[in-house]
């Protein structure tokens, strides 16, 4: 029974990855032989290809234990009888499992975080179900209720597409990476500057904003723990160095393809500051300005996406008994998860100037929402028991 939360997590996350990962189209492309796996993204800004090929290689090696046709081994003989297309089935299965299995593995730290917070397997099961609902876009009734409630106070956009937007490999990487940061901070030990650099570099390799999110998160945590502003600045600088080294290596190898248009805009400018202005000016003119021209819609979409994980997190914190939580008393775990949320949120604010929130906010905020739910749960739980009135002292009855 204790394994049920893990079983639900593995099966449910794989299902979510397929439902919000274009499974129908992918299976058609596998059948037609036209599926394009990003082999060329071994050097790029959003690199999870290393894990894909690790999974694919492992499954391929495992499949060597199967019968894949007489030509797959020695001593083959001619036969007049046909047999099932085992090799074709193997290739199709490995492509499918490698693609979606990669996304499942990237999300595993989120389950580890659940186990770090919740003690009882029954409550872990409840939380995993809520987490899968979040990643899957929530049941339609909940989404309809949120959007209908918003329409009572404003001309609320019925942006259902945000709850159905595909989640890509690098979105799952963001979900897992933010959970790793939370696990590091929940140890309640000072983070070494070298570890900060490694974490930021690792995050930067998988998604544009994870290097900065790591630095801001670790700096905020150091400041909260009273390590001093110098220590916080050191962690921020170390993270920046780690992210810059990775980004520089990717650029040196020609992997900044996503930035090509912005970089081309700098060629007509002279001087460092003029080039920086031209670079950000290009992204502002082509993408960023629309986030502000439609700022009411941008904010409304964000609140629509935030409402359910916040409400569910608060409900779990209010309903779960104190015995459900591990011995992480006090406000420290709340603050550490809060630092993770702040780190991601800062990058989302900066993304207003360069990222297209009008079209795909639903996937871009998923790492933040994944952290909001346990943050709200722990905050409410701690508030419940921290401010609960002490039990009355029974006075001795005297004759």
């Amino acid at each position: 029974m204790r394994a049920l939360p893990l079983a639900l997590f593995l099966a449910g996350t794989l299902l979510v990855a397929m439902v919000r990962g274009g499974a129908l189209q992918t299976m058609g492309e596998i059948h037609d032989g036209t599926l394009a796996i990003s082999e060329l993204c071994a050097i790029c800004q959003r690199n999870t290809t290393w894990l894909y090929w690790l999974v694919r290689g492992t499954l391929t090696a495992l499949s060597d234990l199967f019968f894949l046709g007489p030509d797959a081994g020695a001593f083959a003989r001619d036969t007049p009888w046909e047999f099932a297309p085992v090799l074709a089935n193997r290739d199709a299965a490995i492509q499918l499992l490698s693609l979606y299995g990669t996304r499942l593995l990237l999300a595993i730290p989120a389950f580890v975080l659940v186990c770090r917070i919740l003690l009882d397997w029954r409550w872990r099961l409840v939380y995993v179900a809520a987490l899968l609902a979040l990643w899957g876009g929530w049941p339609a009734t909940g989404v309809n209720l949120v959007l209908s409630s918003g329409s009572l106070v404003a001309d609320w956009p019925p942006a259902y597409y945000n709850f159905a937007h595909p989640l890509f490999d690098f979105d799952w990487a963001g979900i897992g990476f933010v959970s790793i940061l939370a696990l590091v901070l929940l140890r309640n030990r000072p983070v070494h500057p070298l570890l900060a650099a490694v974490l930021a570099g690792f995050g930067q390799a998988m998604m544009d904003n994870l290097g900065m999110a790591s630095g801001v998160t670790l700096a905020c945590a150091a400041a909260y723990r009273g390590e001093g502003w110098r220590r916080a600045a050191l962690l921020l600088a170390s993270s920046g160095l780690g992210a810059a080294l990775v980004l520089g290596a990717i650029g040196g190898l020609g992997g900044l393809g996503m930035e090509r248009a912005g970089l081309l805009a700098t060629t007509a400018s002279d001087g460092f500051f003029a080039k920086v202005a031209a670079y950000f000016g290009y992204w502002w003119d082509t993408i960023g300005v629309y986030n502000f021209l439609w700022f009411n819609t941008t904010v409304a979409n964000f609140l629509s996406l935030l409402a359910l994980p916040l409400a569910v997190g608060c409900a779990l914190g209010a309903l779960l008994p104190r015995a459900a939580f591990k011995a992480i008393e006090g406000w420290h775990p709340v603050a550490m998860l809060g630092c993770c949320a702040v780190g991601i949120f800062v990058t989302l604010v900066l993304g207003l100037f360069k990222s297209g929130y009008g079209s795909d906010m639903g996937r871009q905020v998923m790492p933040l929402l994944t952290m909001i739910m346990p943050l709200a749960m722990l905050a409410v739980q701690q508030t419940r028991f921290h401010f609960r009135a002490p039990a009355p002292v029974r006075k001795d009855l005297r004759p």
Side-chain angles (χ1 to χ4, degrees):
M1 299 297 285
R2 293 181 180 275
L4 277 179
L6 177 59
L8 178 63
F9 179 85
L10 295 176
T13 303
L14 186 59
L15 182 60
V16 171
M18 298 181 77
V19 171
R20 295 191 69 173
L24 182 61
Q25 179 181 348
T26 299
M27 288 187 288
E29 291 174 349
I30 289 175
H31 180 267
D32 298 337
T34 59
L35 179 64
I37 300 298
S38 54
E39 294 98 338
L40 299 179
C41 197
I43 302 297
C44 69
Q45 292 169 258
R46 300 177 178 180
N47 179 13
T48 57
T49 307
W50 57 274
L51 185 56
Y52 168 82
W53 285 109
L54 178 61
V55 173
R56 184 165 179 170
T58 302
L59 293 176
T60 300
L62 181 62
S63 71
D64 289 338
L65 300 174
F66 311 157
F67 178 77
L68 302 174
D71 295 336
F75 315 114
R77 296 183 59 189
D78 293 333
T79 177
W81 299 291
E82 294 184 357
F83 50 87
V86 185
L87 187 60
N89 289 338
R90 189 281 301 262
D91 292 341
I94 284 181
Q95 281 187 300
L96 191 68
L97 288 174
S98 298
L99 182 63
Y100 295 113
T102 296
R103 300 174 185 183
L104 169 61
L105 291 178
L106 288 169
I108 286 290
F111 180 76
V112 179
L113 181 60
V114 173
C115 296
R116 177 67 179 83
I117 295 174
L118 295 175
L119 179 63
D120 191 282
W121 67 268
R122 291 166 295 186
W123 301 120
R124 290 178 182 175
L125 195 66
V126 171
Y127 186 89
V128 166
L131 192 60
L132 294 174
L134 165 61
W135 292 344
W138 301 105
T141 300
V143 177
N144 291 339
L145 181 61
V146 168
L147 298 181
S148 298
S149 299
S151 67
L152 298 177
V153 296
D155 185 13
W156 208 263
Y160 287 106
Y161 61 87
N162 279 320
F163 298 89
H165 197 287
L167 296 178
F168 303 117
D169 287 5
F170 42 82
D171 299 316
W172 290 102
I175 289 170
F177 183 75
V178 174
S179 301
I180 290 174
L181 289 178
L183 290 167
V184 169
L185 295 180
L186 286 176
R187 298 182 311 158
N188 199 20
R189 301 174 187 171
V191 176
H192 194 280
L194 180 59
L195 176 59
V198 170
L199 283 171
F202 181 55
Q204 186 65 54
M206 294 189 294
M207 183 59 182
D208 310 59
N209 67 328
L210 295 182
M212 177 179 288
S214 181
V216 174
T217 295
L218 297 178
C220 287
Y224 172 82
R225 290 194 295 239
E227 297 176 21
W229 68 267
R230 293 179 185 273
R231 178 75 176 181
L234 176 60
L235 292 177
L236 185 61
S238 299
S239 300
L241 178 61
L245 288 175
V246 169
L247 194 59
I250 293 172
L253 295 171
L256 296 180
M258 297 184 64
E259 301 294 339
R260 185 174 292 115
L263 294 173
L264 287 175
T266 67
T267 57
S269 304
D270 295 324
F272 175 78
F273 292 105
K275 288 183 178 296
V276 171
Y279 171 81
F280 286 104
Y282 169 82
W283 292 113
W284 169 258
D285 292 337
T286 56
I287 297 179
V289 65
Y290 298 105
N291 291 327
F292 291 89
L293 288 175
W294 307 325
F295 192 68
N296 289 346
T297 299
T298 302
V299 173
N301 286 343
F302 178 74
L303 294 178
S304 295
L305 290 162
L306 179 65
L308 285 171
L310 185 61
V312 170
C314 289
L316 291 174
L319 297 176
L320 267 59
R322 190 170 192 174
F325 297 87
K326 281 201 170 182
I328 45 177
E329 300 295 336
W331 289 99
H332 172 261
V334 179
M336 295 302 99
L337 296 187
C339 289
C340 295
V342 168
I344 286 290
F345 182 73
V346 166
T347 65
L348 292 175
V349 171
L350 295 177
L352 284 168
F353 301 91
K354 189 177 179 290
S355 190
Y357 289 150
S359 60
D360 57 354
M361 182 186 288
R363 68 166 188 82
Q364 291 174 316
V365 301
M366 192 58 72
L368 174 64
L369 302 184
T370 301
M371 196 53 52
I372 286 293
M373 197 156 66
L375 172 60
M377 179 178 68
L378 285 182
V380 171
Q381 181 267 344
Q382 182 60 23
T383 302
R384 278 176 62 197
F385 297 110
H386 183 76
F387 293 106
R388 186 171 59 181
V393 179
R394 184 173 179 267
K395 295 182 180 179
D396 292 334
L397 298 178
R398 296 181 180 180

